[in-house]
Amino acid sequence: MDEELGGQDTNRRADNAYQWMTFIRDRVWWSGPNQNPVRAQRNPSVDLSDVKASGANWDGIAAYIAERSVIRGSHFNTSFNTGHGLQYVVNGVVSNPKEWSNINIQDIPVTWQWWLDTKGKPLSVDYDYGPNYTKGTRFTYQPVGAYQGGSSLVVNGELNSDNFLRLYKTDLSVNQNSNLSITYNKPSSDDSSVLSIGLMFKDNPGQVVKVSIPNSGKQTTGWVSRNLDLSPYQGKTIAAFGLSFDNTNKTIKNYQMNIGQIKITDGSARKPAAPTGFKITKALTDTNEMLVAWDLEDYSKVKQYNLYENGSYIGGIYDSTYYIKSLNHKSCELMLTAVGADGTESEPARLSYDLNAAVSHIKVETKENGEATVTWKNPSKADGTVKLTLITDYTDTVFHKTIMADNGAETATFTDLPTNGDRYTLRIVTGDHEPVAYTGHLADTMIEPYAKENVTVTGSTYTLALPTLKDWHYLYVYENDVPKLFGVTYVSKKFPYIVRGRTKLSELTFTPTSRTSSLKIVLEDYAGNQATTYVR
């Protein structure tokens, strides 16, 4: 997109003002220039000039690959959350006003974007990210935002005929306890329209069975929820479902309907138990970062974990650990809930912390002789001895060392530390308070030489294997003290070294100019340390 908008030196795809363009271009990629998977074919007459694209050269993925779905069983839940937003909303109320992005909590995307059947003028369909979102000139809806997460589904325009929007391909069983709940917001005026859920059953997928939502033509004040009984269809399997917008034989101008959530459940999904083992594993006072962990429950029981800070949503994930990029409070209560198959949250596990009672302004000066001097600032009421523990991270062999400092001290020195540049975590505990952490790298004064075993000789051809050192940066190869040149990706220029991650692998095979040449291989790490290996 940057190239087609005028150059490669920009990053417009990360600019909020251009996001709507990336979404349309993405939809064209999947569904074709008509943005309808039923008509996935190239179309040079489609005007995509507002997003600097053309419909003449691409049919869309939907033209080549049939739709597939993971939606099965008797439960389904979506809030049309695309995994990012300009704020995070819980049950229609802003829980966190910050812009966010978290692919872990993206809902299952709509299967068809957008498959809209109508004999009249088709409505417009989009994701609504709220009033702070630049939606582009082709959309005219009134921004409402999300009911849960960062976005909702919005349908608007002139409703002059029944419009059926096919949403999800499914394999959902219906029994006597099955129920569908829908949460919607209709900001447009009262009218005679009828919103219905359209069900397509496996035994007759060509027929759309409509279940209407009472009073859905009335303007709402915010979000409203309605429950629909699906028990009349027990024994059937829902192969797909969507939404029907019926004008009841009247032309309705400026129609708008936002869908915030749809749930299908039979009540058999149990509310998960509160998470166990909730703890802080790393708290960094100077940067307001924190790492928390808990016991992971099986995915058959828990689909996601949600984390809150003083009631404000932080994020979610299905994992046993979460990295908090920026705490809003030095002292607060964290809450962790488990989310079941139907979206029900458990009772929270609670964890309080007070970083005001911990040391701050931590600094570490590492030296080439293996010493590291640590300084810090004590809290206003410092009590007890200070325990400092340094542990290396991401290493095959863990180095671990603990030293003590007197009550009130604000400096301590480690000795006999490795000088290999390893990453470490330093934990500092004052008295019986919670530990806080600091991360850094040890001094780096050493590097292992390139192993001769990494050189393979076939006839007169030499092939170099890439170094296995985790911190290598450059590999220099000299033939009779003259540096050999190696090509890299993206540019045609060659360089007098092999650079990590950029040199073409084909360049690692070469033939010396003479059988009597002397080959010297110099390995360099990111700290500039070098080691030399001679290969005859």
Side-chain angles (χ1 to χ4, degrees):
M1 186 175 76
D2 289 341
E3 295 169 356
E4 290 164 352
L5 282 169
Q8 299 179 358
D9 56 345
T10 57
N11 189 24
R12 292 186 179 93
R13 62 187 178 278
D15 188 325
N16 286 342
Y18 293 87
Q19 278 294 294
W20 68 276
M21 291 189 184
T22 69
F23 295 152
I24 290 175
R25 291 167 65 102
D26 179 69
R27 201 167 295 137
V28 169
W29 165 253
W30 288 106
S31 299
N34 299 303
Q35 296 184 65
N36 184 338
V38 180
R39 296 189 295 120
Q41 59 192 36
R42 60 196 71 191
N43 184 354
S45 64
V46 170
D47 185 8
L48 296 170
S49 60
D50 59 343
V51 296
K52 304 300 180 184
S54 168
N57 303 312
W58 177 240
D59 298 306
I61 292 292
Y64 303 100
I65 300 176
E67 61 272 25
R68 295 188 291 269
S69 176
V70 296
I71 304 170
R72 57 180 63 95
S74 59
H75 306 281
F76 177 64
N77 174 35
T78 180
S79 298
F80 302 98
N81 176 27
T82 61
H84 56 288
L86 298 176
Q87 55 189 8
Y88 194 92
V89 181
V90 176
N91 295 332
V93 179
V94 175
S95 177
N96 193 324
K98 294 182 179 179
E99 184 175 353
W100 64 278
S101 178
N102 184 352
I103 198 67
N104 293 288
I105 57 175
Q106 179 192 67
D107 287 332
I108 295 175
V110 172
T111 306
W112 301 281
Q113 297 185 35
W114 303 106
W115 184 347
L116 194 64
D117 293 327
T118 182
K119 294 180 179 179
K121 185 177 182 180
L123 294 170
S124 174
V125 188
D126 195 22
Y127 289 109
D128 183 346
Y129 295 92
N132 294 326
Y133 171 61
T134 302
K135 63 180 183 293
T137 55
R138 62 170 63 193
F139 297 107
T140 60
Y141 59 84
Q142 175 187 334
V144 168
Y147 171 73
Q148 185 79 21
S151 53
S152 65
L153 183 72
V154 59
V155 180
N156 82 299
E158 181 180 297
L159 183 59
N160 62 8
S161 181
D162 183 40
N163 279 246
F164 180 64
L165 176 63
R166 198 172 302 219
L167 291 177
Y168 290 98
K169 177 180 172 63
T170 64
D171 189 14
L172 292 168
S173 59
V174 181
N175 57 50
Q176 61 180 357
N177 298 316
S178 294
N179 176 81
L180 185 148
S181 68
I182 180 170
T183 300
Y184 66 91
N185 187 337
K186 185 176 183 293
S188 57
S189 303
D190 290 356
D191 53 48
S192 61
S193 66
V194 177
L195 173 65
S196 302
I197 291 290
L199 304 173
M200 284 149 282
F201 296 109
K202 198 171 184 178
D203 58 357
N204 189 6
Q207 179 186 7
V208 178
V209 178
K210 296 181 182 180
V211 184
S212 62
I213 299 163
N215 302 315
S216 53
K218 290 188 175 296
Q219 184 180 26
T220 64
T221 303
W223 297 98
V224 297
S225 298
R226 297 287 184 263
N227 290 316
L228 303 176
D229 182 15
L230 299 184
S231 63
Y233 312 106
Q234 60 180 299
K236 291 182 176 291
T237 300
I238 302 173
F241 75 87
L243 296 167
S244 174
F245 307 88
D246 191 349
N247 69 329
T248 62
N249 298 318
K250 297 179 182 178
T251 297
I252 301 172
K253 295 184 179 296
N254 301 317
Y255 175 82
Q256 180 173 333
M257 179 67 75
N258 281 68
I259 310 299
Q261 190 174 70
I262 295 176
K263 287 186 179 183
I264 297 176
T265 181
D266 63 358
S268 64
R270 295 182 179 274
K271 180 179 178 179
T276 59
F278 190 28
K279 62 184 178 181
I280 297 172
T281 57
K282 192 179 293 184
L284 292 88
T285 52
D286 294 333
T287 57
N288 293 329
E289 297 168 276
M290 184 176 284
L291 199 68
V292 294
W294 56 87
D295 300 328
L296 183 66
E297 183 58 271
D298 189 81
Y299 191 71
S300 63
K301 298 178 181 179
V302 173
K303 305 301 181 186
Q304 177 181 312
Y305 291 90
N306 286 333
L307 190 62
Y308 300 85
E309 178 191 9
N310 277 359
S312 178
Y313 190 79
I314 296 178
I317 195 172
Y318 179 73
D319 204 341
S320 60
T321 186
Y322 192 88
Y323 163 67
I324 303 173
K325 183 178 180 180
S326 179
L327 292 164
N328 295 313
H329 307 278
K330 287 285 188 181
S331 174
C332 96
E333 181 184 59
L334 295 175
M335 295 192 306
L336 179 73
T337 63
V339 183
D342 62 353
T344 303
E345 284 190 276
S346 72
E347 296 300 317
R350 300 176 183 273
L351 181 63
S352 297
Y353 66 86
D354 184 7
L355 298 182
N356 294 313
V359 303
S360 60
H361 297 83
I362 303 169
K363 294 181 180 180
V364 180
E365 181 184 357
T366 57
K367 299 178 180 179
E368 294 183 354
N369 64 357
E371 292 185 356
T373 301
V374 185
T375 59
W376 64 88
K377 183 178 179 182
N378 283 318
S380 57
K381 295 181 179 180
D383 57 338
T385 57
V386 183
K387 180 180 178 181
L388 300 91
T389 302
L390 186 147
I391 304 175
T392 55
D393 298 323
Y394 316 114
T395 55
D396 295 332
T397 302
V398 176
F399 177 86
H400 181 286
K401 190 166 188 176
T402 298
I403 61 175
M404 306 296 292
D406 293 335
N407 187 3
E410 293 186 323
T411 184
T413 299
F414 284 91
T415 59
D416 299 322
L417 298 178
T419 57
N420 56 5
D422 279 346
R423 187 175 181 87
Y424 67 84
T425 295
L426 172 67
R427 287 184 170 84
I428 305 178
V429 183
T430 302
D432 58 357
H433 294 293
E434 288 290 326
V436 294
Y438 176 92
T439 60
H441 288 87
L442 297 171
D444 193 354
T445 63
M446 54 191 295
I447 184 175
E448 295 179 14
Y450 185 79
K452 291 183 179 181
E453 297 78 40
N454 288 337
V455 182
T456 302
V457 182
T458 306
S460 59
T461 301
Y462 282 58
T463 299
L464 304 181
L466 291 175
T468 57
L469 279 177
K470 62 178 179 292
D471 64 340
W472 80 275
H473 192 193
Y474 295 114
L475 190 67
Y476 303 86
V477 180
Y478 299 90
E479 183 179 355
N480 297 330
D481 292 326
V482 177
K484 296 191 70 64
L485 301 179
F486 300 91
V488 300
T489 56
Y490 308 128
V491 296
S492 58
K493 181 182 177 181
K494 290 196 172 188
F495 295 85
Y497 47 73
I498 295 167
V499 60
R500 183 173 191 154
R502 288 292 307 277
T503 299
K504 299 175 183 178
L505 295 180
S506 59
E507 296 282 302
L508 303 182
T509 297
F510 59 90
T511 301
T513 57
S514 171
R515 284 182 174 272
T516 61
S517 292
S518 170
L519 286 182
K520 181 174 70 173
I521 300 177
V522 178
L523 187 60
E524 181 178 316
D525 64 15
Y526 286 98
N529 299 307
Q530 291 187 339
T532 301
T533 300
Y534 290 93
V535 180
R536 181 176 296 276

